[in-house]
Amino acid sequence: MLEALADALRLDEAERAHLFDLARAASPTAPQRRRGPVQQRVRPTVQRILDRIDAPAAVSNMRSDYLAANQLGRALYAPLFESREQPPNSARFTFLDPAAQEFFLDWEKAAKDLVATLRSMAGRNPYNRALSDLVGELSTRSDAFGTWWAAHNVRYHQTGTKRLHHPVVGDLELSYEVMELAADTGLRLAIFTAEPGTRSEDALNLLASWAATPDQAPAEHPAGDNALRP
């Protein structure tokens, strides 16, 4: 019956999965499994893999906590890791730190996608208190989050493009891929790349050079809007 309903409504993959998640959660005969707390650590092996990736890379959990990153990933997302909203969490940064609206050039799209992803995660694990607490906090502190959460949109955040304004190297347009870590339930690895031969690739190379010399002041590198513009 649910398959027929999903077909009739022309639901996409994320919406279809969310429908089945909601049905399982509402079923009086379904086992009400309360999963453990959201994972907060990455294994040393995963960190070593991160450190060997020659691109910005980071690991987050189902409620968008950033748990680990390689050097270039931490440099790319420096505004998030250095945000006043700690520990590092993409949702808190996006909705509660004004710096996010400058960092994400398509802030509204990024924010709506994040809400839709959290809604999908909540459907998959409706009894996770940490995730529920985050949603409650954001609903209280951000009108925009509350409005978009009430829309009940869902989305898988697996691939796409991000347009960022980095405080050191200026504007970047990066492709990303997100992969679930099979051995670590709920953890996801995100890797960012730039199209070869573009100014974004030049900016990413400049950022890698800056990240490799942390004792060097950012002001010694060309920064801001004019960083790589002709």
Coordinates of all heavy atoms in Angstrom, one line a residue, residues 1-93:
M1 N 0.8 -1.2 0.0 CA 0.0 0.0 0.0 C 0.9 1.3 0.0 O 0.6 2.2 -0.7 CB -0.9 0.0 1.2 CG -1.9 1.2 1.3 SD -2.9 1.1 2.7 CE -1.8 1.4 4.0
L2 N 1.9 1.2 0.8 CA 2.8 2.4 0.9 C 3.5 2.6 -0.5 O 3.7 3.7 -0.9 CB 3.8 2.2 2.0 CG 3.2 2.3 3.4 CD1 4.3 2.1 4.5 CD2 2.6 3.7 3.7
E3 N 3.9 1.5 -1.1 CA 4.6 1.6 -2.4 C 3.6 2.3 -3.4 O 4.0 3.1 -4.2 CB 5.0 0.2 -2.9 CG 6.2 -0.4 -2.1 CD 7.5 0.2 -2.6 OE1 7.5 1.2 -3.4 OE2 8.5 -0.2 -2.0
A4 N 2.4 1.8 -3.4 CA 1.4 2.4 -4.3 C 1.2 3.9 -4.0 O 1.1 4.7 -5.0 CB 0.1 1.7 -4.2
L5 N 1.1 4.3 -2.7 CA 0.9 5.7 -2.4 C 2.1 6.5 -2.8 O 2.0 7.6 -3.4 CB 0.8 5.8 -0.9 CG 0.6 7.2 -0.3 CD1 -0.6 7.9 -0.9 CD2 0.5 7.1 1.2
A6 N 3.4 6.0 -2.6 CA 4.6 6.7 -3.0 C 4.6 6.9 -4.5 O 5.0 7.9 -5.0 CB 5.8 5.9 -2.6
D7 N 4.2 5.8 -5.3 CA 4.1 6.0 -6.7 C 3.1 7.0 -7.2 O 3.4 7.8 -8.1 CB 3.8 4.6 -7.4 CG 4.9 3.6 -7.2 OD1 6.1 4.0 -7.0 OD2 4.7 2.4 -7.4
A8 N 1.9 7.0 -6.5 CA 0.9 7.9 -6.9 C 1.3 9.3 -6.6 O 1.0 10.3 -7.4 CB -0.4 7.6 -6.1
L9 N 2.0 9.6 -5.5 CA 2.5 10.9 -5.2 C 3.8 11.3 -5.9 O 4.2 12.4 -5.7 CB 2.7 11.0 -3.7 CG 1.4 10.8 -2.8 CD1 1.7 10.8 -1.3 CD2 0.4 12.0 -3.1
R10 N 4.3 10.4 -6.6 CA 5.6 10.6 -7.4 C 6.7 11.1 -6.4 O 7.4 12.1 -6.7 CB 5.4 11.6 -8.5 CG 4.4 11.1 -9.5 CD 4.2 12.1 -10.7 NE 3.3 11.7 -11.7 CZ 3.0 12.3 -12.8 NH1 3.5 13.5 -13.0 NH2 2.1 11.8 -13.6
L11 N 6.8 10.4 -5.3 CA 7.8 10.8 -4.3 C 9.2 10.4 -4.8 O 9.4 9.4 -5.5 CB 7.6 10.0 -3.0 CG 6.2 10.3 -2.3 CD1 6.2 9.5 -1.0 CD2 5.9 11.7 -2.2
D12 N 10.2 11.3 -4.5 CA 11.6 10.9 -4.9 C 12.1 10.0 -3.8 O 11.4 9.5 -2.9 CB 12.4 12.2 -5.0 CG 12.6 13.0 -3.7 OD1 12.4 12.4 -2.6 OD2 12.9 14.2 -3.8
E13 N 13.4 9.6 -4.0 CA 14.0 8.6 -3.1 C 13.9 9.0 -1.6 O 13.6 8.2 -0.8 CB 15.5 8.3 -3.5 CG 16.2 7.3 -2.7 CD 17.6 7.1 -3.0 OE1 18.1 7.9 -3.9 OE2 18.3 6.3 -2.4
A14 N 14.3 10.2 -1.3 CA 14.3 10.7 0.1 C 12.9 10.7 0.6 O 12.6 10.3 1.8 CB 14.9 12.1 0.2
E15 N 11.9 11.2 -0.2 CA 10.5 11.3 0.3 C 9.9 9.9 0.5 O 9.2 9.7 1.5 CB 9.7 12.1 -0.7 CG 10.1 13.6 -0.8 CD 9.5 14.3 -2.0 OE1 9.2 13.6 -3.0 OE2 9.4 15.5 -2.0
R16 N 10.3 9.0 -0.4 CA 9.8 7.6 -0.3 C 10.3 7.0 1.0 O 9.6 6.3 1.8 CB 10.2 6.8 -1.5 CG 9.7 5.4 -1.5 CD 10.2 4.7 -2.8 NE 9.7 5.3 -4.0 CZ 8.6 4.9 -4.7 NH1 8.0 3.8 -4.2 NH2 8.2 5.5 -5.7
A17 N 11.6 7.1 1.3 CA 12.2 6.6 2.5 C 11.6 7.2 3.7 O 11.4 6.5 4.7 CB 13.7 6.8 2.4
H18 N 11.3 8.5 3.7 CA 10.8 9.2 4.8 C 9.3 8.6 5.1 O 9.0 8.5 6.3 CB 10.7 10.7 4.6 CG 10.4 11.5 5.8 ND1 11.1 11.5 6.9 CD2 9.3 12.3 6.0 CE1 10.5 12.3 7.8 NE2 9.5 12.8 7.2
L19 N 8.6 8.4 4.1 CA 7.2 7.8 4.2 C 7.3 6.5 5.0 O 6.5 6.3 5.9 CB 6.6 7.7 2.9 CG 5.2 7.0 2.9 CD1 4.2 7.8 3.7 CD2 4.7 6.7 1.4
F20 N 8.2 5.6 4.6 CA 8.3 4.3 5.2 C 8.8 4.5 6.6 O 8.4 3.7 7.5 CB 9.2 3.4 4.4 CG 8.5 2.8 3.2 CD1 8.4 3.4 2.0 CD2 8.0 1.5 3.3 CE1 7.8 2.8 1.0 CE2 7.4 0.9 2.3 CZ 7.2 1.6 1.1
D21 N 9.7 5.4 6.9 CA 10.2 5.6 8.2 C 9.1 6.1 9.2 O 9.0 5.6 10.3 CB 11.3 6.7 8.2 CG 12.6 6.2 7.6 OD1 12.9 5.0 7.7 OD2 13.4 7.1 7.2
L22 N 8.2 7.0 8.7 CA 7.1 7.5 9.5 C 6.1 6.3 9.7 O 5.6 6.2 10.9 CB 6.4 8.6 8.8 CG 7.2 9.9 8.6 CD1 6.4 11.0 7.8 CD2 7.6 10.5 10.0
A23 N 5.9 5.5 8.8 CA 5.0 4.4 8.9 C 5.5 3.4 10.0 O 4.7 2.9 10.8 CB 4.7 3.7 7.6
R24 N 6.8 3.1 9.9 CA 7.3 2.2 10.9 C 7.3 2.8 12.3 O 7.0 2.1 13.3 CB 8.8 1.9 10.6 CG 9.0 0.8 9.5 CD 10.4 0.4 9.4 NE 11.3 1.4 8.9 CZ 11.5 1.6 7.6 NH1 11.0 0.8 6.7 NH2 12.3 2.6 7.2
A25 N 7.5 4.1 12.4 CA 7.5 4.7 13.8 C 6.1 4.8 14.3 O 5.9 4.7 15.6 CB 8.0 6.2 13.7
A26 N 5.1 4.9 13.5 CA 3.7 5.0 13.9 C 3.0 3.7 14.1 O 1.9 3.6 14.8 CB 2.9 5.8 12.9
S27 N 3.6 2.6 13.6 CA 2.9 1.3 13.7 C 2.9 0.8 15.1 O 3.9 0.7 15.8 CB 3.6 0.3 12.8 OG 3.1 -1.0 13.0
P28 N 1.7 0.4 15.6 CA 1.6 -0.1 17.0 C 2.3 -1.5 17.1 O 2.6 -1.9 18.2 CB 0.1 -0.2 17.3 CG -0.5 -0.3 15.9 CD 0.4 0.5 15.0
T29 N 2.5 -2.2 16.0 CA 3.1 -3.5 16.1 C 4.6 -3.5 15.8 O 5.2 -4.5 16.0 CB 2.4 -4.5 15.0 OG1 2.6 -3.9 13.7 CG2 0.9 -4.6 15.3
A30 N 5.1 -2.4 15.3 CA 6.5 -2.3 15.0 C 7.3 -2.1 16.3 O 6.9 -1.4 17.2 CB 6.8 -1.1 14.1
P31 N 8.4 -2.7 16.4 CA 9.3 -2.6 17.6 C 9.8 -1.1 17.7 O 10.3 -0.6 16.8 CB 10.4 -3.5 17.4 CG 10.5 -3.7 15.9 CD 9.1 -3.6 15.4
Q32 N 9.5 -0.5 18.9 CA 10.0 0.9 19.1 C 11.4 0.9 19.6 O 11.7 0.9 20.8 CB 9.0 1.6 20.1 CG 7.6 1.5 19.7 CD 7.3 2.3 18.4 OE1 7.8 3.4 18.3 NE2 6.6 1.7 17.5
R33 N 12.3 0.9 18.6 CA 13.7 0.8 19.0 C 14.2 2.2 19.3 O 14.1 3.1 18.5 CB 14.5 0.2 17.8 CG 14.3 -1.2 17.5 CD 15.3 -1.8 16.6 NE 15.3 -1.0 15.4 CZ 16.3 -1.0 14.5 NH1 17.4 -1.7 14.8 NH2 16.3 -0.3 13.4
R34 N 14.8 2.3 20.4 CA 15.5 3.5 20.8 C 17.0 3.4 20.6 O 17.7 2.7 21.4 CB 15.2 3.9 22.3 CG 13.7 4.2 22.5 CD 13.4 4.6 23.9 NE 12.0 5.0 24.1 CZ 11.5 6.2 23.9 NH1 12.4 7.2 23.6 NH2 10.3 6.5 24.0
R35 N 17.5 3.9 19.6 CA 18.9 3.8 19.3 C 19.7 4.5 20.3 O 19.3 5.4 20.9 CB 19.2 4.2 17.8 CG 18.4 3.4 16.8 CD 18.7 3.9 15.4 NE 17.8 3.3 14.5 CZ 17.8 3.5 13.2 NH1 18.6 4.4 12.7 NH2 17.0 2.9 12.3
G36 N 21.0 4.2 20.3 CA 21.9 4.8 21.2 C 22.1 6.3 20.9 O 21.6 6.8 19.9
P37 N 22.9 6.9 21.7 CA 23.2 8.4 21.5 C 23.9 8.6 20.2 O 24.6 7.7 19.6 CB 24.1 8.8 22.7 CG 24.7 7.5 23.1 CD 23.6 6.4 22.9
V38 N 23.8 9.8 19.6 CA 24.5 10.1 18.4 C 26.0 10.0 18.6 O 26.5 10.5 19.6 CB 24.1 11.6 17.9 CG1 24.9 12.0 16.7 CG2 22.6 11.7 17.7
Q39 N 26.6 9.3 17.7 CA 28.0 9.0 17.8 C 28.8 10.3 17.8 O 28.6 11.2 17.0 CB 28.5 8.1 16.7 CG 29.9 7.5 16.9 CD 30.2 6.3 16.1 OE1 29.2 5.7 15.6 NE2 31.4 5.9 16.0
Q40 N 29.8 10.4 18.7 CA 30.6 11.7 18.9 C 32.0 11.5 18.6 O 32.8 12.5 18.8 CB 30.4 12.2 20.3 CG 28.9 12.5 20.7 CD 28.4 13.7 19.9 OE1 29.2 14.6 19.4 NE2 27.1 13.8 19.6
R41 N 32.5 10.3 18.2 CA 33.9 10.1 18.0 C 34.1 9.4 16.7 O 33.3 8.7 16.2 CB 34.5 9.3 19.1 CG 34.5 10.0 20.5 CD 35.2 9.2 21.5 NE 35.3 9.8 22.8 CZ 35.8 9.3 23.9 NH1 36.3 8.1 23.8 NH2 35.8 10.0 25.0
V42 N 35.3 9.6 16.1 CA 35.7 8.8 15.0 C 36.9 7.9 15.4 O 37.6 8.3 16.3 CB 36.1 9.7 13.8 CG1 34.9 10.6 13.3 CG2 37.3 10.5 14.1
R43 N 36.9 6.8 14.8 CA 38.0 5.8 15.1 C 39.4 6.4 14.6 O 39.4 7.1 13.6 CB 37.7 4.5 14.5 CG 36.6 3.7 15.1 CD 36.3 2.4 14.5 NE 35.7 2.6 13.1 CZ 36.3 2.2 12.0 NH1 37.5 1.6 12.1 NH2 35.7 2.4 10.9
P44 N 40.5 6.0 15.2 CA 41.8 6.5 14.7 C 42.0 6.1 13.3 O 42.6 6.9 12.5 CB 42.8 5.8 15.7 CG 42.0 5.6 16.9 CD 40.6 5.3 16.5
T45 N 41.5 5.0 12.9 CA 41.7 4.5 11.5 C 41.0 5.5 10.5 O 41.6 5.9 9.5 CB 41.1 3.1 11.2 OG1 41.8 2.2 12.1 CG2 41.3 2.7 9.8
V46 N 39.9 6.0 10.9 CA 39.1 6.9 10.0 C 39.9 8.3 10.0 O 40.0 8.9 8.9 CB 37.7 7.1 10.6 CG1 37.0 8.2 9.8 CG2 36.9 5.8 10.5
Q47 N 40.4 8.7 11.1 CA 41.2 9.9 11.1 C 42.5 9.8 10.2 O 42.8 10.7 9.5 CB 41.6 10.3 12.5 CG 42.4 11.6 12.6 CD 41.5 12.8 12.2 OE1 40.5 13.1 12.8 NE2 42.0 13.6 11.2
R48 N 43.1 8.6 10.2 CA 44.3 8.5 9.4 C 43.9 8.5 7.9 O 44.6 9.1 7.1 CB 44.9 7.1 9.7 CG 45.7 7.1 11.0 CD 46.7 6.0 11.1 NE 46.0 4.7 11.1 CZ 45.6 4.0 12.2 NH1 45.7 4.6 13.4 NH2 45.0 2.8 12.1
I49 N 42.7 7.9 7.6 CA 42.2 8.0 6.2 C 42.0 9.5 5.8 O 42.3 9.9 4.7 CB 41.0 7.1 6.0 CG1 41.3 5.7 6.2 CG2 40.3 7.4 4.7 CD1 40.1 4.8 6.2
L50 N 41.3 10.2 6.7 CA 41.1 11.6 6.4 C 42.4 12.4 6.1 O 42.4 13.1 5.2 CB 40.4 12.3 7.7 CG 38.9 12.2 7.8 CD1 38.5 12.7 9.2 CD2 38.2 12.9 6.7
D51 N 43.4 12.1 6.9 CA 44.6 12.8 6.8 C 45.4 12.5 5.5 O 46.2 13.2 5.1 CB 45.5 12.5 8.0 CG 45.0 13.1 9.3 OD1 44.2 14.1 9.2 OD2 45.3 12.6 10.4
R52 N 45.0 11.3 4.9 CA 45.7 10.9 3.6 C 44.9 11.4 2.4 O 45.4 11.3 1.3 CB 45.8 9.4 3.6 CG 46.7 8.8 4.6 CD 48.1 9.3 4.5 NE 48.7 8.9 3.2 CZ 49.5 7.8 3.0 NH1 49.7 7.0 4.0 NH2 50.0 7.6 1.8
I53 N 43.7 12.0 2.6 CA 43.0 12.5 1.4 C 43.5 13.8 1.0 O 43.6 14.8 1.8 CB 41.5 12.6 1.8 CG1 40.9 11.2 2.1 CG2 40.7 13.2 0.7 CD1 39.5 11.2 2.6
D54 N 43.8 14.0 -0.3 CA 44.4 15.2 -0.8 C 43.3 16.2 -1.3 O 43.3 16.6 -2.4 CB 45.4 14.9 -1.9 CG 46.1 16.1 -2.4 OD1 46.3 17.0 -1.5 OD2 46.6 16.1 -3.5
A55 N 42.4 16.4 -0.4 CA 41.2 17.3 -0.7 C 40.6 17.6 0.7 O 40.8 16.9 1.6 CB 40.2 16.7 -1.6
P56 N 39.8 18.7 0.8 CA 39.1 19.0 2.0 C 38.1 17.8 2.3 O 37.4 17.4 1.5 CB 38.3 20.3 1.7 CG 39.0 20.9 0.6 CD 39.6 19.8 -0.2
A57 N 38.2 17.3 3.5 CA 37.4 16.2 3.9 C 37.0 16.3 5.4 O 37.8 16.8 6.2 CB 38.1 14.9 3.6
A58 N 35.8 15.9 5.7 CA 35.4 15.9 7.1 C 34.4 14.8 7.4 O 33.7 14.3 6.4 CB 34.7 17.3 7.4
V59 N 34.2 14.5 8.6 CA 33.3 13.4 9.1 C 32.3 14.1 10.0 O 32.6 14.8 10.9 CB 34.0 12.3 9.8 CG1 32.9 11.3 10.4 CG2 34.8 11.5 8.8
S60 N 31.0 13.9 9.7 CA 29.9 14.4 10.6 C 29.0 13.3 11.0 O 29.0 12.2 10.3 CB 29.2 15.5 9.9 OG 28.6 15.0 8.7
N61 N 28.1 13.5 11.9 CA 27.1 12.5 12.3 C 25.7 12.9 11.9 O 25.6 13.9 11.2 CB 27.2 12.2 13.8 CG 26.8 13.4 14.7 OD1 26.2 14.4 14.2 ND2 27.2 13.4 15.9
M62 N 24.7 12.2 12.2 CA 23.4 12.3 11.7 C 22.7 13.7 12.1 O 21.8 14.1 11.5 CB 22.5 11.2 12.1 CG 22.3 11.1 13.6 SD 21.2 9.7 14.1 CE 19.7 10.3 13.4
R63 N 23.3 14.3 13.2 CA 22.7 15.6 13.6 C 23.6 16.8 13.2 O 23.4 17.8 13.7 CB 22.3 15.6 15.0 CG 23.5 15.6 16.0 CD 23.0 15.8 17.4 NE 23.9 16.8 18.1 CZ 23.6 17.5 19.1 NH1 22.4 17.3 19.7 NH2 24.4 18.3 19.7
S64 N 24.5 16.5 12.3 CA 25.4 17.5 11.6 C 26.5 18.0 12.6 O 27.0 19.1 12.3 CB 24.6 18.7 11.1 OG 24.0 19.5 12.0
D65 N 26.9 17.3 13.6 CA 28.1 17.6 14.4 C 29.3 17.3 13.5 O 29.4 16.2 12.9 CB 28.1 16.8 15.6 CG 27.0 17.1 16.6 OD1 26.7 18.3 16.8 OD2 26.5 16.1 17.2
Y66 N 30.2 18.2 13.4 CA 31.5 17.9 12.7 C 32.4 17.3 13.7 O 32.9 17.9 14.7 CB 32.1 19.2 12.1 CG 31.6 19.5 10.7 CD1 30.2 19.8 10.5 CD2 32.4 19.4 9.6 CE1 29.7 20.1 9.2 CE2 31.9 19.7 8.4 CZ 30.6 20.0 8.2 OH 30.2 20.3 6.9
L67 N 32.7 16.0 13.5 CA 33.5 15.3 14.5 C 35.0 15.2 14.2 O 35.8 15.1 15.1 CB 33.0 13.8 14.6 CG 31.5 13.7 14.9 CD1 31.1 12.2 15.0 CD2 31.1 14.4 16.2
A68 N 35.4 15.3 12.9 CA 36.8 15.2 12.5 C 36.9 15.8 11.1 O 36.0 15.9 10.4 CB 37.3 13.8 12.6
A69 N 38.1 16.2 10.8 CA 38.4 16.8 9.5 C 39.9 16.6 9.3 O 40.7 16.5 10.2 CB 38.0 18.2 9.4
N70 N 40.3 16.7 8.0 CA 41.8 16.8 7.7 C 42.1 18.3 7.8 O 41.3 19.1 8.0 CB 42.1 16.1 6.4 CG 41.4 16.7 5.2 OD1 40.8 17.8 5.3 ND2 41.5 16.0 4.1
Q71 N 43.4 18.5 7.6 CA 43.9 19.9 7.8 C 43.2 20.9 6.8 O 42.8 22.0 7.2 CB 45.4 19.9 7.5 CG 46.0 21.3 7.8 CD 47.5 21.3 7.5 OE1 48.0 21.0 6.4 NE2 48.3 21.5 8.6
L72 N 43.0 20.4 5.5 CA 42.4 21.3 4.5 C 40.9 21.4 4.8 O 40.3 22.5 4.5 CB 42.7 20.8 3.1 CG 42.4 21.7 1.9 CD1 42.9 23.1 2.1 CD2 42.9 21.1 0.6
G73 N 40.3 20.4 5.2 CA 38.9 20.4 5.6 C 38.6 21.4 6.7 O 37.7 22.2 6.7
R74 N 39.5 21.4 7.7 CA 39.3 22.3 8.8 C 39.6 23.8 8.3 O 38.9 24.7 8.8 CB 40.3 22.0 9.9 CG 40.1 22.7 11.2 CD 41.0 22.2 12.3 NE 40.4 20.9 12.8 CZ 39.5 20.7 13.7 NH1 39.0 21.8 14.3 NH2 39.1 19.5 14.0
A75 N 40.6 23.9 7.4 CA 40.8 25.3 6.9 C 39.7 25.8 6.1 O 39.3 27.0 6.1 CB 42.1 25.3 6.1
L76 N 39.1 24.9 5.2 CA 38.0 25.3 4.4 C 36.8 25.8 5.2 O 36.2 26.8 5.0 CB 37.6 24.2 3.5 CG 36.4 24.4 2.6 CD1 36.7 25.5 1.6 CD2 35.9 23.1 1.9
Y77 N 36.5 25.0 6.3 CA 35.3 25.3 7.1 C 35.8 26.0 8.4 O 35.1 25.9 9.5 CB 34.6 24.0 7.4 CG 33.5 23.8 6.4 CD1 33.8 23.3 5.2 CD2 32.1 24.1 6.7 CE1 32.8 23.1 4.2 CE2 31.2 23.9 5.8 CZ 31.5 23.4 4.5 OH 30.5 23.2 3.6
A78 N 36.8 26.8 8.3 CA 37.3 27.6 9.5 C 36.2 28.4 10.2 O 36.1 28.4 11.4 CB 38.5 28.4 9.1
P79 N 35.3 29.1 9.4 CA 34.3 29.9 10.1 C 33.4 29.0 11.0 O 32.9 29.4 12.1 CB 33.5 30.5 9.0 CG 34.5 30.6 7.9 CD 35.4 29.4 8.0
L80 N 33.2 27.8 10.6 CA 32.3 26.8 11.4 C 33.1 26.4 12.6 O 32.6 26.4 13.7 CB 31.9 25.7 10.6 CG 30.9 24.6 11.2 CD1 30.0 24.0 10.2 CD2 31.7 23.5 11.9
F81 N 34.3 25.9 12.4 CA 35.1 25.4 13.5 C 35.5 26.5 14.5 O 35.7 26.2 15.7 CB 36.4 24.7 13.0 CG 36.2 23.4 12.4 CD1 36.2 23.2 11.0 CD2 35.9 22.3 13.2 CE1 35.9 21.9 10.4 CE2 35.7 21.0 12.6 CZ 35.7 20.8 11.3
E82 N 35.6 27.7 14.1 CA 35.9 28.8 15.0 C 34.7 29.6 15.4 O 34.8 30.6 16.1 CB 36.9 29.8 14.2 CG 38.2 29.1 13.9 CD 39.0 30.0 12.9 OE1 38.6 31.1 12.6 OE2 40.1 29.5 12.5
S83 N 33.5 29.1 15.1 CA 32.3 29.8 15.4 C 32.1 29.9 17.0 O 32.5 29.0 17.7 CB 31.1 29.1 14.8 OG 29.8 29.6 15.3
R84 N 31.4 30.9 17.4 CA 31.0 31.0 18.8 C 30.0 29.9 19.2 O 29.9 29.6 20.4 CB 30.4 32.3 19.1 CG 29.0 32.5 18.4 CD 28.5 33.9 18.5 NE 27.2 34.1 17.9 CZ 26.5 35.2 17.7 NH1 27.1 36.3 18.1 NH2 25.3 35.2 17.1
E85 N 29.3 29.3 18.2 CA 28.4 28.2 18.5 C 29.2 26.9 18.5 O 29.5 26.3 17.5 CB 27.3 28.1 17.4 CG 26.4 29.4 17.4 CD 25.6 29.6 18.6 OE1 25.3 28.6 19.3 OE2 25.2 30.7 18.9
Q86 N 29.5 26.4 19.7 CA 30.3 25.2 19.8 C 29.5 24.1 20.7 O 28.7 24.5 21.5 CB 31.6 25.5 20.5 CG 32.5 26.4 19.7 CD 33.0 25.7 18.4 OE1 33.3 24.5 18.4 NE2 33.1 26.4 17.3
P87 N 29.9 22.8 20.5 CA 30.9 22.3 19.6 C 30.4 22.4 18.1 O 29.3 22.7 17.8 CB 30.9 20.8 20.0 CG 29.6 20.5 20.6 CD 29.2 21.8 21.3
P88 N 31.4 22.2 17.2 CA 31.1 22.5 15.8 C 29.9 21.7 15.3 O 29.9 20.5 15.3 CB 32.4 22.0 15.0 CG 33.4 22.1 16.1 CD 32.8 21.8 17.4
N89 N 28.9 22.4 14.8 CA 27.7 21.8 14.3 C 27.2 22.6 13.1 O 27.0 23.8 13.2 CB 26.6 21.7 15.4 CG 25.3 21.1 14.9 OD1 24.5 21.8 14.3 ND2 25.1 19.9 15.2
S90 N 27.0 22.0 12.0 CA 26.6 22.7 10.8 C 25.2 23.5 10.9 O 25.1 24.6 10.5 CB 26.5 21.8 9.6 OG 26.2 22.5 8.4
A91 N 24.3 22.8 11.6 CA 23.0 23.5 11.8 C 23.1 24.7 12.7 O 22.5 25.7 12.4 CB 22.0 22.4 12.3
R92 N 23.7 24.5 13.8 CA 23.9 25.7 14.7 C 24.6 26.8 14.0 O 24.2 28.0 14.2 CB 24.6 25.3 16.0 CG 23.8 24.5 17.0 CD 24.4 24.6 18.4 NE 23.8 23.7 19.3 CZ 24.2 22.5 19.6 NH1 25.3 22.0 19.0 NH2 23.5 21.7 20.5
F93 N 25.7 26.5 13.3 CA 26.4 27.6 12.6 C 25.6 28.2 11.6 O 25.5 29.5 11.5 CB 27.7 26.9 11.9 CG 28.4 27.9 11.0 CD1 29.1 29.0 11.6 CD2 28.4 27.7 9.7 CE1 29.8 29.9 10.7 CE2 29.1 28.6 8.8 CZ 29.8 29.7 9.4

